[in-house]
Amino acid sequence: MEELGKKAMTGDVRAASRLIRNIEDDIPGTTKAIKHIFPYTGKAHVIGITGAPGAGKSTITDQLICTMRKKQKTVGVLAVDPTSPFTGGALLGDRIRMLRHAEDPGVFVRSMATRGSMGGLSKAVGDGIHVLDAMGKDVIVVETVGVGQQEVDIINHAHTVIVVLVPGMGDEVQAIKAGLMEIADIFVINKADREGAKKLYRETLSMLEMGNFPDGWRPPIVMIESSLEPHSFAESVDKLFEKIEEHYKHLIDNNLIGERITRKAITEMNDALRGAIMEPILKKLVSTGELDNMIKKLVNKESDPHTLAEEVAEKYIKEQG
Amino acid sequence: MADRKLRILVAKPGLDGHDRGAKVLARAFRDAGFETIYTGCHQTPEQIAGTAIQEDVDVVGLSCLSGAHNYLYPEVVRLLKEKGADDITVIGGGIIPDQDIPKLQAAGIKAIFTPGATLDSIIDWINQNITPRE
């Protein structure tokens, strides 16, 4: 498994894609590879792209790849789409917008299914970013599932978050709600040739007027018109990339990047603790039938969840330490 | 042991733009519990092989209704082999005359499904013949 990590670090695409799959499938021993690559990560600029389904995240990502390749940057993309809650299957279709990069060795695109995660990403995204980072990608773009208002896990992984809005999704109250509208470092108003785009611009602007920006970064709004006009579309996305670079520079010049890295570290630590402590105990509880017993007790009102959980903690954690 | 989730790429090589069948299949694979990467029409064999490797799929399902399968399907198999990925199974379907099937099979396409093949028969074939690679 460690071998896989070593190979991925040489840029071996097969090894990297296999390693990402092992992370997704939670194959025992995968952590060995992560341990190996971890010290070499942290170099890439991680960009998150989020927004409603059909807002244009993949199309913008595709054009962004062009812009970045013109600047000689190597690019990794993780594109997340939903897993069916009924069958566990998924239709991963983000890549359809990015086909023109399929033969470019400087671009690695990997589709991921959410597999039950609710925050707009997959649990494997954090380590997936590490793999692309260790491969030496200069920029990593993480495209979330099409989100609603609350799926904001991307802020725990990206240095720069782009929220893609489109006209026709509601009135100005939507713009001042908590959640998605708070996490943007850059707003994109996509399909800006459509009716309602100017109104959406004004609403977003007036929402920003109400804010104060303690970090000294006021999120810019980038208007992007139809992707069917390739020339103007490319120009707008070039402008978007200028804003992305400005934001990254702002983070670094003002020592703000550490805060973003800390946010990711907290998330990773929580996940790792859950993986190392909680999951082995859960597995034991399932295999011994204890979990079923506890659920029966709850159903029959013989006990309550807190007492039972404390008993489990007593038995499995305290005896060890 | 954690469970491997089967991953399949559904792709249409060549100039044929009739993607209804491929979309129906992609949807059926989703419902069968597979992680299905759908990449649509007008792809070169090089793009398909590259995508299959980046996505670490177990199976590539090719659809072609234009008659160019005799060149395009074996080319995908050849490119995967060239890239050291001949452990990825390639299957195909579409308007394929009976006399072409033995040639395609000889070229390494493991199964061919022609018009009239049911979705269940295709999914059953995959479930019986493909184990997600260790």
Side-chain angles (χ1 to χ4, degrees):
Chain A
M1 200 61 88
E2 215 177 307
E3 202 55 35
L4 221 46
K6 277 184 192 155
K7 272 195 187 161
M9 282 184 55
T10 65
D12 183 325
V13 172
R14 275 222 104 184
S17 56
R18 174 39 56 119
L19 182 50
I20 291 176
R21 187 160 177 201
N22 286 349
I23 295 164
E24 290 185 294
D25 289 339
D26 207 2
I27 299 299
T30 305
T31 46
K32 273 193 199 130
I34 305 296
K35 285 177 197 171
H36 180 78
I37 64 173
F38 191 85
Y40 305 96
T41 63
K43 297 186 193 87
H45 178 193
V46 183
I47 301 168
I49 299 195
T50 189
K57 298 179 294 296
S58 302
T59 306
I60 290 173
T61 302
D62 170 62
Q63 189 63 44
L64 263 180
I65 297 173
C66 294
T67 305
M68 296 187 284
R69 293 300 290 147
K70 268 190 287 180
K71 294 175 179 280
Q72 318 298 331
K73 289 182 189 297
T74 55
V75 184
V77 178
L78 297 177
V80 190
D81 263 334
T83 292
S84 161
F86 301 110
T87 66
L91 205 157
L92 310 175
D94 290 325
R95 214 188 160 99
I96 199 167
R97 308 271 171 247
M98 306 177 206
L99 287 177
R100 55 178 155 168
H101 309 291
E103 291 172 66
D104 179 351
V107 180
F108 181 111
V109 180
R110 182 61 155 69
S111 313
M112 273 186 175
T114 53
R115 300 205 182 178
S117 293
M118 300 307 289
L121 296 175
S122 146
K123 212 178 95 186
V125 158
D127 284 336
I129 291 171
H130 288 319
V131 174
L132 297 178
D133 195 341
M135 277 178 92
K137 300 298 176 204
D138 298 316
V139 185
I140 297 165
V141 181
V142 180
E143 182 188 330
T144 73
V145 301
V147 301
Q149 297 174 313
Q150 182 69 73
E151 299 94 325
V152 295
D153 279 1
I154 187 68
I155 56 168
N156 297 322
H157 297 282
H159 303 125
T160 303
V161 175
I162 300 166
V163 173
V164 182
L165 305 173
V166 285
M169 303 279 282
D171 65 7
E172 69 273 15
V173 180
Q174 297 300 333
I176 54 174
K177 284 187 180 171
L180 187 67
M181 293 299 282
E182 292 178 285
I183 65 167
D185 297 305
I186 299 167
F187 283 103
V188 166
I189 294 180
N190 196 29
K191 312 187 190 188
D193 48 316
R194 291 201 182 171
E195 200 187 319
K198 283 194 178 119
K199 181 169 165 280
L200 176 60
Y201 177 80
R202 286 194 302 273
E203 284 164 5
T204 310
L205 199 64
S206 69
M207 181 271 289
L208 289 170
E209 296 292 338
M210 294 179 214
N212 54 347
F213 307 99
D215 292 347
W217 176 263
R218 182 193 155 108
I221 306 170
V222 179
M223 306 285 273
I224 297 181
E225 295 193 358
S226 171
S227 61
L228 299 175
E229 301 286 341
H231 192 71
S232 63
F233 180 68
E235 270 179 14
S236 315
V237 173
D238 282 351
K239 262 181 221 150
L240 170 62
F241 190 65
E242 278 170 30
K243 295 293 173 196
I244 292 171
E245 290 204 301
E246 264 175 50
H247 178 255
Y248 195 51
K249 189 171 179 300
H250 178 83
L251 289 181
I252 288 172
D253 289 352
N254 297 285
N255 274 329
L256 295 165
I257 190 93
E259 195 185 306
R260 307 266 164 150
I261 295 169
T262 306
R263 210 143 65 183
K264 171 152 183 158
I266 292 169
T267 308
E268 287 192 295
M269 204 56 242
N270 276 330
D271 289 348
L273 286 171
R274 202 161 293 135
I277 300 171
M278 175 88 175
E279 269 160 34
I281 294 176
L282 268 180
K283 260 182 214 155
K284 236 181 226 172
L285 293 177
V286 171
S287 65
T288 57
E290 284 174 272
L291 191 67
D292 283 341
N293 272 337
M294 290 194 286
I295 289 167
K296 259 184 222 143
K297 278 187 193 165
L298 275 191
V299 173
N300 297 330
K301 298 275 175 200
E302 288 162 21
S303 185
D304 65 274
H306 301 290
T307 306
L308 292 171
E310 278 159 22
E311 281 169 17
V312 171
E314 188 79 35
K315 183 168 170 193
Y316 285 100
I317 301 176
K318 289 186 183 161
E319 74 179 22
Q320 288 168 14
Chain B
M1 187 69 193
D3 277 339
R4 280 265 186 230
K5 175 85 75 179
L6 192 139
R7 285 171 73 85
I8 181 167
L9 169 64
V10 177
K12 284 185 64 63
L15 295 176
D16 154 39
H18 301 82
D19 57 1
R20 176 62 63 90
K23 282 178 177 155
V24 169
L25 272 170
R27 163 70 199 261
F29 292 152
R30 184 201 89 178
D31 291 343
F34 307 154
E35 284 188 354
T36 310
I37 294 105
Y38 179 68
T39 52
C41 305
H42 308 314
Q43 294 174 65
T44 63
E46 286 81 2
Q47 287 176 325
I48 294 170
T51 298
I53 289 172
Q54 290 189 6
E55 296 287 355
D56 197 40
V57 295
D58 303 295
V59 192
V60 177
L62 300 171
S63 160
C64 178
L65 312 182
S66 71
H69 50 267
N70 283 333
Y71 169 71
L72 294 166
Y73 290 9
E75 187 61 6
V76 172
V77 174
R78 189 189 69 76
L79 286 163
L80 284 173
K81 192 167 186 180
E82 188 181 287
K83 293 167 193 283
D86 50 355
D87 50 344
I88 298 175
T89 302
V90 178
I91 60 176
I95 315 277
I96 294 172
D98 286 345
Q99 68 264 29
D100 289 350
I101 293 176
K103 277 183 279 180
L104 291 171
Q105 285 173 332
I109 290 92
K110 289 287 174 349
I112 299 285
F113 300 94
T114 50
T118 62
L119 293 172
D120 284 343
S121 70
I122 300 170
I123 290 163
D124 285 346
W125 188 92
I126 293 172
N127 279 327
Q128 279 159 22
N129 292 280
I130 310 289
T131 319
R133 295 169 297 122
E134 279 315 314

